[in-house]
Amino acid sequence: MATDYDAPRKSDDDSESIEALKERVPDKLSGAVDVEDADNPGGFDLPGADLSDLDLDVVVLPPQADEFTCVECFLVKHRSLIDHETKLGAICVECAA
Ligand SMILES: [Zn+2]
């Protein structure tokens, strides 16, 4: 008699919940898309804030008067190590070799 007890309950619950979902889903989806699009731009601001902290750790000094930045290896070197100048900038003797 246990099967007779379960069968009527299951069919009643399923038919009610499925009908309710079918009516609600279309309205919920159309409304949710607009809300998510509006929220997403604000959510991307947090990763950008973390990157600003990384910049504080890496201190980039501009080349001194007697130094230059090689356009090939991007290392700052003494001007005596310039092999030749290009339109983009100076190239050190190591990169020119
Ligand atoms: Zn170089």
Side-chain angles (χ1 to χ4, degrees), residues 68-72 77-86 89-97:
F68 75 101
T69 301
C70 173
V71 295
E72 287 289 330
K77 302 194 175 192
H78 195 267
R79 297 197 72 82
S80 64
L81 295 177
I82 293 179
D83 185 82
H84 63 279
E85 300 267 357
T86 68
I91 293 182
C92 71
V93 293
E94 292 181 23
C95 291

Side-chain angles (χ1 to χ4, degrees), residues 21-85:
L21 286 175
K22 280 181 179 178
E23 289 180 0
R24 290 174 188 173
V25 167
D27 289 340
K28 273 191 174 183
L29 284 179
S30 61
V33 169
D34 290 342
V35 172
E36 285 181 2
D37 283 348
D39 287 347
N40 279 341
F44 287 121
D45 288 345
L46 290 177
D50 290 339
L51 288 178
S52 64
D53 289 341
L54 291 177
D55 289 343
L56 295 178
D57 294 337
V58 179
V59 178
V60 178
L61 294 175
Q64 301 303 302
D66 60 345
E67 291 178 337
F68 75 101
T69 301
C70 173
V71 295
E72 287 289 330
C73 61
F74 299 106
L75 293 178
V76 176
K77 302 194 175 192
H78 195 267
R79 297 197 72 82
S80 64
L81 295 177
I82 293 179
D83 185 82
H84 63 279
E85 300 267 357

